[in-house]
Every structure is written in structure tokens, then in C-alpha cells.
Amino acid sequence: MAVPNGTRPERQSGMSKGAKPRLIRKLGCLELYQASLHVLGMYCGTSVACTYRIPDKIASTGEEALEAALNTAIAQTVLQYPVLQVGIYKEDSRRPSYMQLDTVDLNQHVQWKTLESEDDVDAAALETLITQIDTKFHDIEARPPWRITVLRRRGSQAVEVNFVWHHALADGMSGKMFHETLLRHLTGADDGSVTPGESRILDVSGSAKRFPPPMEKMVKYPVSFGYVLSELWKEVRPPKAGSAADQVLAHWAPLQLQPPETDIRRVRLSNERLRIVLAACRQHNTTLTGLLHGIIAVALSSLLSKKQAPGFLAKTAMNMRVLTPASGSLVPKETMADIVSVVGHTFDPDATAAIRSKIETAASESSEQSRRGTLAEAIWASAVTARQDIKKVLDQGTKDNIIGVMGFVPDWRDHGRSVAKKPRDSAWVITNLGVIDGGLSGEDGGACIRRDDNWHIEGGTFSINAQTTGAAISVCVIAVKHRELVLDVCWQRDVIDSRIAEGVAQATEDWLTYLGTDGPRT
């Protein structure tokens, strides 16, 4: 299928012909990192897709009314966030910049696709998703690097809006923010005075006035001398086979620098079971993110031998808005931008050996309940440790955070090429976007109802392009309030062993289902 802003059509600039580029600012340290991955073909796109329920009054009117309502809401949303209005100037350089454009033509960014009634909507949506996140953005000096696919089965009262963007513009929480804002405009909660008109061309010439600063300018990221030395040593130390640092690397998933093609296995958990799982997490002094780390640590310890993986490194993407205070007109929790960092988790050989010991003990148990109980001990122990890692980072605030040392890298393209020659470090990463309020009200027993005959979100997914030099397996988590939890397990096709990735996904589904079932649980 054709991909808006992904192919190379005749150039139609959003800048006045012959005009000198109007640069807004240089990319910040995390933005530079993300831009380098895109330039090197190591990462393409990020997606948050939501399924919207169409109000009766619009569904009964016809396609034109639906398109008009969505086009207007998309236009209002784009005009609300400056990062959706700019190009990236000289991306393939040491210090690219954001540049102001005069216009954004929604015809170049929004694609509508109608399925016939007999088509498999879920299969078509997944195929569309993978195509979108695996396709690079082009002409990004002329057009902002984001795109939307609107997918609807003919006659259906549901429509999927898939928002895909370049990670140098914004982080995962921004994708969630996009849909929350789009829903407000659809329901008329915000002023609907702006309409794109038949040409669907938006005037964005004032974007520079409200453009957010890089995250390291929103709040200070102080670093100690010891932390700087430690991080620099990690970058330059010569590899030593069998060392403690070497034993936790993902040698079982060697890097292959080929265009990243993504495979996805989707895991769903009902709202009823999710509530039980969250209660169990609270009982064990951890969180859903911590629990997922515990499940994956046990799953990989079972799927891989001690020789293949004596230990593991894992990561959690952390929303830094919680540590970034509002200042003047800048309100981080309402700002689309890259305001994210990572927390590292080390499952050293001793910790991993302890997990494998529990796995061996469980295998000898005579009953399924006993086997589950023994494995659950290992899962919850790892879940608590992962939560403690996250809490430690939150407690220390912005001090000695990786963001604080990223500015020492002179050229992130060179850094990316250097990383590509080393073993992969992380086995998995978890990014949890939390809950979207889709306009549904809860009732006793966890049922949900529509608040009125208006737009609401019925479901959502969060997905990323396979990371060529990043974690071998990415687990992307999102839920709609009073609806199901969805996890997309993503990996690089023909590079990461699908048996291992599928095994992680299956274990995650099995354990969440088991722990989310009413009754006594270990």
C-alpha cells in the first residue's frame, strides 16, 4: 500500500519557494540520538493506534460527514502541537535543526483506507501497522515526519486511526497525548473553530513561537564525576569474554545491520483480569511493569541455556515529565516532545542462576499448582527488584541520569556505527504508556458504558519499529480505561529467533491470564 510521507513523490515544500530555511533550534541530545538512528536506517517509526466508535448521528449520515469530522479534529490537533508542524533540516549532519514551515498539507500526511465487509479488519490493521512503522520518512525538510492511516470497514461504526511518527519529534507518551487530544476535538470539548477547508492545507508559520526546548533545557540533569567516568568507561572499555559485564550481554541476539523489518505478537488482557493482576502487584509491592520484567526474566531463563545467556540486561523507558516541573507556558505533561529516559536492570549470573534453579525445581513438582507456585516465587522476586530499580531512579530525580551525559557525544551517527560493531546489550525493553481515558464510564463488575452518543475510544495499541541496535525484544504496553490491556511484543524479523520472541509473548499471555483469574494466587 502507498505510505504518505514515506515514498518519494514530487517535492511539494511547506516552505515558500526559494526562501532561506528558518531554523528554530538545534536538536537536543536525545533528539540527536533518535535522528541518527533514522539516518542510519536503524529505526523508522513509532505508532499509537486507537479504534474510535463513531456516533450514530455521524455514522448514519455517510462517509463525507465522517471524513469531515476526522479531518477537522486532526487539523485542530496538529495546530495544537508545534512538533507536528516542523521539518528537520540537514538530518544527516552532526547538528541538525528543526525548521519552521509555512504550511502542512494534510493530503500528504493522512491516508484513508476502506475495507470491504468480508475483509479481516484485525489482519489488515496489523499489516498496515507493520508497513507504517517499517517505512522511513522522506523529504523531512519540506514536510513534518509523521503520518496517519485511517482504516474502516465499509458500514462499520468503528474506525481505526493509526498515528506514526519520527522519534526525534516526540516520545511514546506523546502518541498517547495525540489521541487524547484528538478525542477531545472530536467530542467538541475543545473549541472547534479551526477547520482545514477543502484544500486541507494548514497555516503553521507561527510554530517557532511555541516550540518546546529540549528536555535537558526544561530541567537540569546534573552528573557527578564518578557517574561520567563510569558511563564513558562502558563506551570505551575493550571487550573481555567471560567478564561480569560480558556475561549479561545479549550474545544470543547478534546485531545484523539490515533494514529493520518488524514482527509483532499481540497479547490482550481483559479489564476484569487486569484489575486482579494490578491488585496482586500491589500485594507484592511492585507494579505491572515490574511484573512484566519478572515474567520475561523467567521466560528467557527457560528458553535460553546458561551457556547462551548467563545473565541479562533489560531496560524500562521512563517518562521524565514526572520529574520536569512546569515553567511559564511550558507544561510538560501537556507537551508533545521527547521527555523520556531509561532505567537499566541487571540480572547478573547469580540472579539468573537462582531463577533457573527455581525453573528446575518447578519441573520436578508433581502438580500444576505447585509448579506455578514455584515459578511465581521467581517472577515476583524479579518483579520487586525491577520496581526497586525504577524507584531508585525516581528518588534521585534528574541527578546522574543518562540524559546528563549524552551531550558528551560529538556525533551520534559515528556512535551508532560504533555500537553496530559490538554485541547487543539489552535482551528486552518495556515501555508502558499507561491508560487512555477513552470516554467510557465504569460500572460495578468492571463493565463499561458509553457516556453519551459521542465519540469514544474502544481500544488502543502501541508499537515500535524493530530496533536494529537496541533491545532484542520490545514490549509495548497500553490500555484504554475500562477496556482491555494490549501488549505488542516486537522484534526484528529474520534476526531475532522467532521461537524465543514468540515464547516470551506466550509466557506473558499465560502468566497474565493465570494471575488475572479469580482465586488464591501465590
Side-chain angles (χ1 to χ4, degrees):
M1 62 176 292
V3 179
N5 204 14
T7 56
R8 296 180 183 271
E10 181 180 351
R11 185 180 180 87
Q12 299 183 45
S13 177
M15 204 172 56
S16 301
K17 188 175 181 180
K20 182 179 178 181
R22 289 165 293 167
L23 306 184
I24 298 173
R25 66 166 174 84
K26 299 288 188 183
L27 272 66
C29 57
L30 180 59
E31 298 158 345
L32 283 169
Y33 167 71
Q34 296 294 349
S36 72
L37 294 181
H38 189 262
V39 163
L40 296 173
M42 295 177 176
Y43 188 84
C44 298
T46 305
S47 161
V48 174
C50 287
T51 299
Y52 292 77
R53 183 74 174 180
I54 306 168
D56 295 338
K57 59 188 177 184
I58 292 179
S60 61
T61 306
E63 296 291 327
E64 288 187 5
L66 172 62
E67 291 193 21
L70 265 174
N71 286 336
T72 298
I74 290 171
Q76 292 168 334
T77 302
V78 170
L79 290 172
Q80 188 164 335
Y81 296 110
V83 296
L84 301 180
Q85 304 169 23
V86 300
I88 299 179
Y89 182 68
K90 292 189 176 180
E91 181 186 38
D92 192 2
S93 67
R94 194 173 70 86
R95 292 301 307 275
S97 299
Y98 295 109
M99 60 182 292
Q100 184 171 310
L101 303 176
D102 293 319
T103 60
V104 170
D105 184 352
L106 293 184
N107 294 298
Q108 297 178 346
H109 293 268
V110 183
Q111 180 184 37
W112 288 72
K113 184 176 180 181
T114 302
L115 303 175
E116 298 306 321
S117 58
E118 66 273 11
D119 292 339
D120 186 333
V121 175
D122 290 340
L126 185 59
E127 179 184 1
T128 299
L129 165 65
I130 291 174
T131 299
Q132 294 288 336
I133 60 176
D134 285 356
T135 301
K136 288 184 67 175
F137 292 91
H138 297 290
D139 294 325
I140 62 176
E141 292 186 2
R143 293 179 291 179
W146 59 266
R147 49 183 173 254
I148 292 172
T149 302
V150 182
L151 191 66
R152 185 193 185 199
R153 181 158 60 185
R154 197 179 303 281
S156 171
Q157 205 161 336
V159 61
E160 182 187 86
V161 178
N162 185 0
F163 173 56
V164 179
W165 71 97
H166 188 316
H167 211 321
L169 293 184
D171 56 17
M173 293 300 293
S174 299
K176 173 184 167 184
M177 199 179 301
F178 175 91
H179 282 282
E180 291 171 334
T181 305
L182 181 64
L183 180 63
R184 285 199 299 272
H185 287 301
L186 284 168
T187 58
D190 287 340
D191 181 12
S193 59
V194 178
T195 58
E198 290 186 9
S199 66
R200 301 174 69 195
I201 295 177
L202 308 179
D203 179 357
V204 297
S205 56
S207 58
K209 299 174 184 177
R210 299 183 296 116
F211 200 79
M215 63 181 292
E216 65 270 24
K217 298 294 184 181
M218 296 180 185
V219 65
K220 291 183 178 180
Y221 284 84
V223 290
S224 63
F225 183 67
Y227 179 75
V228 173
L229 284 182
S230 173
E231 291 301 313
L232 291 178
W233 176 241
K234 290 178 185 177
E235 291 292 323
V236 302
R237 67 185 173 198
K240 185 177 180 181
S243 65
D246 181 72
Q247 290 186 76
V248 295
L249 300 180
H251 292 285
W252 54 274
L255 300 177
Q256 293 186 30
L257 297 185
Q258 59 193 52
E261 296 182 353
T262 307
D263 267 339
I264 295 176
R265 165 73 184 278
R266 187 158 289 166
V267 175
R268 300 179 184 274
L269 188 71
S270 70
N271 178 252
E272 292 76 17
R273 283 182 166 154
L274 175 60
R275 289 186 296 110
I276 296 171
V277 168
L278 294 177
C281 289
R282 290 190 291 270
Q283 181 182 353
H284 287 85
N285 297 313
T286 188
T287 61
L288 177 62
T289 298
L291 173 60
L292 292 173
H293 277 295
I295 292 172
I296 297 171
V298 171
L300 282 179
S301 295
S302 176
L303 291 163
L304 296 166
S305 68
K306 178 181 177 181
K307 182 178 180 180
Q308 290 173 300
F312 301 103
L313 288 180
K315 292 178 180 176
T316 300
M318 189 168 80
N319 177 20
M320 296 301 288
R321 289 170 178 81
V322 297
L323 296 173
T324 305
S327 176
S329 61
L330 179 69
V331 182
K333 68 179 182 179
E334 299 174 0
T335 301
M336 284 186 69
D338 272 317
I339 315 176
V340 65
S341 187
V342 293
V343 178
H345 310 276
T346 301
F347 296 83
D348 62 27
D350 288 342
T352 309
I355 292 173
R356 288 193 169 109
S357 176
K358 288 286 188 182
I359 293 171
E360 291 176 3
T361 300
S364 65
E365 299 283 2
S366 58
S367 70
E368 175 67 11
Q369 183 177 353
S370 297
R371 185 182 73 83
R372 285 280 189 180
T374 299
L375 291 175
E377 291 175 8
I379 288 173
W380 287 119
S382 297
V384 169
T385 299
R387 172 56 185 160
Q388 290 171 346
D389 292 337
I390 296 170
K391 185 177 184 301
K392 179 181 177 181
V393 172
L394 288 171
D395 289 346
Q396 68 187 27
T398 58
K399 183 180 179 181
D400 286 347
N401 189 287
I402 190 64
I403 299 299
V405 297
M406 291 182 76
F408 289 104
V409 177
D411 191 328
W412 280 101
R413 297 167 302 166
D414 290 342
H415 180 271
R417 297 184 187 102
S418 173
V419 168
K421 298 175 183 178
K422 300 177 181 178
R424 190 186 303 271
D425 62 355
S426 300
W428 72 90
V429 61
I430 294 175
T431 306
N432 187 348
L433 299 188
V435 179
I436 289 181
D437 186 347
L440 295 166
S441 297
E443 292 183 324
D444 289 341
C448 56
I449 59 173
R450 298 170 68 174
R451 293 175 185 163
D452 48 38
D453 180 32
N454 212 333
W455 291 89
H456 68 267
I457 296 174
E458 293 189 318
T461 62
F462 169 42
S463 322
I464 67 173
N465 177 229
Q467 301 184 63
T468 302
T469 55
I473 298 170
S474 300
V475 180
C476 305
V477 186
I478 194 169
V480 174
K481 190 175 182 180
H482 302 305
R483 289 285 190 173
E484 66 183 3
L485 175 79
V486 179
L487 302 87
D488 271 9
V489 180
C490 311
W491 68 94
Q492 191 177 1
R493 183 182 306 153
D494 299 328
V495 173
I496 305 303
D497 187 338
S498 61
R499 178 188 64 85
I500 295 173
E502 290 277 4
V504 167
Q506 188 62 56
T508 302
E509 183 174 37
D510 289 347
W511 275 103
L512 290 178
T513 300
Y514 174 78
L515 294 171
T517 302
D518 278 321
R521 289 288 172 262
T522 302

